[in-house]
């Protein structure tokens, strides 16, 4: 028999594309964040870091703060609509897509710039800024219904097996984890068939129905918000070289709630199994620190070239989680339902994100701007530290396993952004495009974002509006397994179900600012 053991808290959430928990997918989420603090930059594809005098530009390249000539205050609001169409994969291809929409309105940015007149005549400006802006938002709703093979009870069974045992021999019931296999044992979804009091031979109702099909449904609600508070200082030397540096403090919390169902597709076909419901909740609180430094040069009056480097974020994460299971089966000719609830779990750990580099350019023309940004980072360099706050022996092994998974799944990434602005008196017309390389090792595609907007510039205030549209595809799994072969026939019994998602994200942003 082929079987693989999986750490429960490392993989419970990994397959549902959600925030939190110690997984390669979550390390990627926290490694791909990028500031987008103003509607002006958003309309121009966020290709703005060489221009300066803008809160997005400063957030990417702190040297941009040097180009402010007056004090500045700003506030930004964003409305985001995410539409997800999800289809459960099936060998027969008969499952229909299901749609789910999420809307979110939130403050996107707050900022304040102070301008200081330096006493050294070689320096034109010496400015400081403090700002808060969102750097990641993955809020999403997912709903699907369909039929397919495999059951989450396969995962529960894998979680019960003794790594040193033979066949379906498992560990003592008292040693089953209280969030998955332990719940399944209490609810009757997992039970002992062994006659030897010193051995435990675990079984599930669905093992008696090889190749079975059942109906599967999931409702998944994700809320993911990560903000950054940054403190920046920069100066402009002889009007041709801007230097800047800043300290960034990322803070935020993620929450996820999943309601997962399995039901018999034909009444009585999978007896004694009738149905199950597995609920899971997770909240992750994040705090950390990082630094950025950059420069912008003006070799010609109309040309600006920039470069910035961001250190890894040193993040501290705290997960709080719980699960619940409701299992219905036939007992003595009657349907019986047992419901159980896990204790509240908590785990604290660290994550270090990879270094990032940004190179940028801008043509500052009499009637507008043409801009370009190129970002590079290597998500393989994200690293978990699970033993910093824990002395549990298994956490060291899990740390090595998850970090190895990160190295295997991803590749270095380039992201390209271009934008343009046309100045017509006080009015500004803008457009932009982003080409974002997919970070997965075997992926060759690019995600694209189209944006446009307009703005108004007055002597003492400015108003900017932006619209951005992104469309992309990704897959999720309701749960993961080790793809075990329980009966030794050479075929995978613990099948991993997959759900195809088509996601369209529409964003509207408004920025209002005042010159001080």
């Amino acid at each position: 028999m082929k079987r693989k053991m999986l750490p429960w808290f490392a993989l419970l959430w990994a397959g549902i594309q959600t925030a939190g928990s110690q997984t390669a997918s979550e390390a990627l989420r926290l490694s791909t964040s990028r500031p987008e603090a103003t509607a002006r930059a958003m309309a121009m594809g966020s290709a703005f870091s060489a221009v300066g005098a803008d809160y997005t530009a400063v957030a990417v390249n702190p040297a941009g703060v040097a180009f402010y000539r007056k004090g500045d205050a700003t506030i930004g609001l964003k409305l985001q609509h995410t539409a997800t169409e999800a289809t459960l994969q099936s060998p027969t291809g008969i499952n229909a897509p299901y749609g789910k929409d999420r809307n979110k309105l939130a403050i996107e940015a707050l900022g304040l710039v102070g301008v200081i007149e330096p006493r050294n005549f070689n320096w034109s400006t010496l400015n400081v800024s403090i700002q808060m802006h969102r750097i990641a938002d993955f809020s999403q709703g997912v709903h699907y219904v369909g039929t397919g093979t495999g059951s989450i009870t396969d995962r529960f069974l894998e979680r019960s097996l003794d790594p040193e045992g033979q066949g379906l021999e498992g560990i003592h019931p008292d040693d089953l984890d209280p969030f998955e296999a332990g719940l399944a044992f209490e609810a009757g979804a997992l039970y002992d068939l062994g006659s030897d009091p010193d051995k435990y031979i675990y079984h599930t109702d669905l093992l008696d129905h090889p190749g079975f099909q059942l109906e599967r449904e999931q409702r998944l609600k994700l809320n993911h918000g990560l903000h950054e508070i940054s403190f920046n200082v920069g100066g402009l030397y002889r009007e041709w070289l801007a230097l800047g540096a800043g300290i960034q403090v990322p803070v935020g919390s993620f929450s996820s709630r999943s309601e997962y169902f399995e039901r018999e597709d034909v009444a009585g076909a999978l007896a004694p199994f009738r149905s199950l419901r597995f609920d899971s909740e997770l909240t992750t609180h994040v705090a950390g620190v990082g630094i950025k430094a950059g420069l912008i040069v003006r070799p010609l009056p109309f040309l600006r070239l920039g470069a910035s480097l961001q250190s890894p974020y040193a993040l501290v994460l705290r997960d709080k989680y719980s699960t619940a299971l409701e299992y219905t089966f036939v007992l003595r000719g009657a349907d019986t339902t047992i419901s159980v609830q896990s204790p509240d779990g908590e785990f604290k750990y660290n994550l270090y994100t990879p270094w990032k580099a940004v190179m940028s350019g801008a043509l500052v023309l009499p009637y507008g701007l043409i801009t370009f940004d190129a970002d590079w980072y290597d998500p393989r360099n994200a690293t978990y530290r699970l033993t910093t706050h824990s002395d549990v022996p298994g956490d060291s092994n899990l740390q090595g396993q998850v970090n190895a998974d990160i190295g295997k799944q991803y590749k270095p990434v380039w992201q390209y952004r271009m934008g343009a602005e046309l100045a017509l008196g006080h009015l500004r017309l803008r457009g932009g495009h982003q080409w974002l390389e997919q970070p997965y090792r075997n992926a060759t595609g690019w995600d694209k974002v189209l944006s446009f907007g307009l703005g108004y510039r007055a002597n003492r205030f400015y108003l900017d509006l932006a619209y951005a549209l992104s469309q992309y595809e990704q897959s999720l799994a309701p749960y993961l397994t080790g793809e075990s072969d329980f009966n030794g026939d050479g075929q995978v019994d613990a099948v991993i179900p997959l759900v195809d998602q088509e996601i369209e994200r529409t964003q509207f942003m408004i920025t209002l600012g005042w010159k001080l």
Side-chain angles (χ1 to χ4, degrees), residues 13 17 42 59 65 78 81-82 105 138 152 159 166 177 192 255 307 338 351 392 453 511:
W13 305 91
Q17 299 293 321
M42 176 177 161
V65 73
K78 180 189 283 186
H81 173 77
T82 304
L105 176 65
F138 297 100
I152 197 172
R159 296 292 311 134
Q166 300 294 321
D177 75 80
D192 175 25
S255 64
I338 300 178
L351 173 67
V392 177
T511 299

Side-chain angles (χ1 to χ4, degrees), residues 178-180 183 186 279 321-325 340-345:
F179 297 92
E180 294 189 74
L183 286 187
E186 291 183 49
D279 293 346
Y321 43 84
S322 64
T323 58
L325 177 64
V340 290
Q341 173 76 43
S342 78
D344 293 329

